[in-house]
Amino acid sequence: MGKEEVLDESVIASFQSEVPGWTVRDGWLRRKYLTPGWPHSLMLAQTIGYLAEAAWHHPDLEIGYAQVVVKLQTHRVRGITRMDLDLARRIEEVVL
């Protein structure tokens, strides 16, 4: 299966059992990270941005006072692909 093929629900469910905390809503793989406050939220968003740029992938981020929401979807195919799962795993490794 190629990196940009939309994954079926069983593959995504398997990922979710391996890497808890990620949900699927409206065709996006999502994860909310809670932080101690605004400076930490900014640092987390910058870290995720760096990881995403290194992976040549670009998530949508929602940054709030004490939280960062990551939304992953491969924009070219408008669905969740291996690229999204790979980036989610990398984010988990670095930020947790």
Side-chain angles (χ1 to χ4, degrees), residues 53-68:
E53 193 63 25
W56 197 251
H57 198 34
H58 307 101
D60 286 11
L61 301 177
E62 297 172 12
I63 306 166
Y65 168 75
Q67 70 181 24
V68 176

Side-chain angles (χ1 to χ4, degrees), residues 1-22:
M1 184 176 285
K3 284 243 179 214
E4 290 194 22
E5 292 180 25
V6 176
L7 300 174
D8 66 36
E9 290 179 16
S10 66
V11 174
I12 297 168
S14 177
F15 164 81
Q16 289 174 294
S17 67
E18 295 169 25
V19 186
W22 290 88

Side-chain angles (χ1 to χ4, degrees), residues 13-93:
S14 177
F15 164 81
Q16 289 174 294
S17 67
E18 295 169 25
V19 186
W22 290 88
T23 61
V24 175
R25 191 172 76 210
D26 302 326
W28 294 82
L29 186 62
R30 299 170 182 248
R31 173 86 152 88
K32 180 191 288 188
Y33 294 96
L34 301 178
T35 71
W38 180 244
H40 296 87
S41 293
L42 287 177
M43 287 188 288
L44 177 57
Q46 289 173 331
T47 300
I48 293 168
Y50 180 83
L51 295 172
E53 193 63 25
W56 197 251
H57 198 34
H58 307 101
D60 286 11
L61 301 177
E62 297 172 12
I63 306 166
Y65 168 75
Q67 70 181 24
V68 176
V69 177
V70 181
K71 294 170 42 182
L72 296 171
Q73 181 188 76
T74 302
H75 297 99
R76 284 182 294 280
V77 297
R78 296 188 177 139
I80 299 169
T81 68
R82 290 264 175 220
M83 289 178 63
D84 302 301
L85 301 187
D86 292 346
L87 182 54
R89 279 190 181 94
R90 186 70 181 127
I91 291 168
E92 288 286 308
E93 289 172 4

